[in-house]
Amino acid sequence: MSGAPLLDVRGLVKRFGTTEVLRGIDLSVRAQELVFVIGPSGSGKSTLLRCCNRLEEPSDGRVVVAGTDITDPRVDINAMRRRIGMVFQSFNLYPHMTARGNVMLALRKVTRLSRAEARERAEAALERVGLADKAASYPAALSGGQQQRVAIARALALEPELMLFDEPTSALDPELVGSVLAVMRELQESGMTMLVVSHEMRFAEEAADRVVFMDAGLIVEEGPPSAIFRSPSHERTRAFLGRVLA
């Protein structure tokens, strides 16, 4: 994991009116690294993710993905978003389309693949997340965990270099969380670069290469999971973990 970072965020500021939600974030993620962002609600975690593919426009600072400054007004942001997969808390599947159809739609609209090519790639993506047998099922016939895995397949089918996960398990019943985390684990093992906002602390401790703790729009501390979870250096980190791990 040497060389230039795949994602490099420098001096990132985001304001909503007079409220400064991000107050100068510096963060880098190297290729094949799994970085978890944790922190209390309202700390700016999801806003940080959304700025990393310009779903939110940064107020100041730079976001560089694979050597391209995506905050440059001349950049083709739609082309860059094909290289940045994003999985949301809500699944955002079209209810009138099958699992296969939901994945194919992104391929057909974004990459202009033929129907046959899109179908082949969609089915491969569904197989990767363990849903080959559900390709013809509609979202209403799928569990929440299965719907989220379809959403992951939809992002993976575009063959991104970077995956952003914004609370991917928070809308799931506890017994369904494991299936989504298993897919994320497989992605890590296959070398996918991931930036994850999540409250799944045990998974973060087991799987992350690095954990970043945010509070009040700032990165308070970051380090390997063993350091953050067992011997955090900052009082705010200790207080947060004391509440969520109690």
Side-chain angles (χ1 to χ4, degrees), residues 15 21 50 62 69 100 108 116 130 135 141 181 195 197 221:
R15 302 181 191 91
V21 177
R50 293 172 67 85
R62 298 171 67 231
D69 182 357
R100 182 195 297 114
R108 296 273 285 159
L181 297 183
L195 182 61
V197 168
E221 68 175 299

Side-chain angles (χ1 to χ4, degrees), residues 12 15 20 23 29 40 46 50 56 59 85 88 113 118 128 141 146-147 155 164 202 218-219 221 224 226 237 241:
L12 184 63
R15 302 181 191 91
E20 200 167 57
R23 300 162 55 198
V29 180
S46 292
R50 293 172 67 85
E56 295 288 355
S59 303
F88 300 89
L113 290 180
R128 188 171 182 184
Q146 289 169 332
Q147 290 184 59
L164 308 174
R202 180 173 295 179
L218 294 169
I219 291 178
E221 68 175 299
S226 57
T237 315
L241 292 173

Side-chain angles (χ1 to χ4, degrees), residues 202-246:
R202 180 173 295 179
F203 183 70
E205 187 168 9
E206 293 173 354
D209 295 298
R210 190 154 42 99
V211 175
V212 174
F213 173 68
M214 284 184 66
D215 189 32
L218 294 169
I219 291 178
V220 176
E221 68 175 299
E222 60 180 291
S226 57
I228 298 298
F229 287 109
R230 298 176 198 170
S231 54
S233 61
H234 202 286
E235 174 55 37
R236 278 189 286 177
T237 315
R238 289 194 292 270
F240 171 76
L241 292 173
R243 289 195 302 273
V244 300
L245 299 178

Side-chain angles (χ1 to χ4, degrees), residues 35-62:
V35 176
F36 255 76
V37 183
I38 64 172
S41 297
S43 58
K45 307 183 300 296
S46 292
T47 301
L48 167 61
L49 276 198
R50 293 172 67 85
C51 284
C52 286
N53 63 1
R54 271 183 52 197
L55 286 177
E56 295 288 355
E57 290 289 345
S59 303
D60 202 358
R62 298 171 67 231

Side-chain angles (χ1 to χ4, degrees), residues 104 107-108 111-123:
M104 283 179 64
L107 289 166
R108 296 273 285 159
T111 64
R112 307 295 184 187
L113 290 180
S114 70
R115 180 172 295 278
E117 290 173 313
R119 182 185 178 101
E120 183 178 350
R121 198 188 291 185
E123 290 179 348

Side-chain angles (χ1 to χ4, degrees), residues 23 25 121 134 144 153 166 216:
R23 300 162 55 198
I25 297 291
R121 198 188 291 185
K134 299 293 185 181
D166 188 8

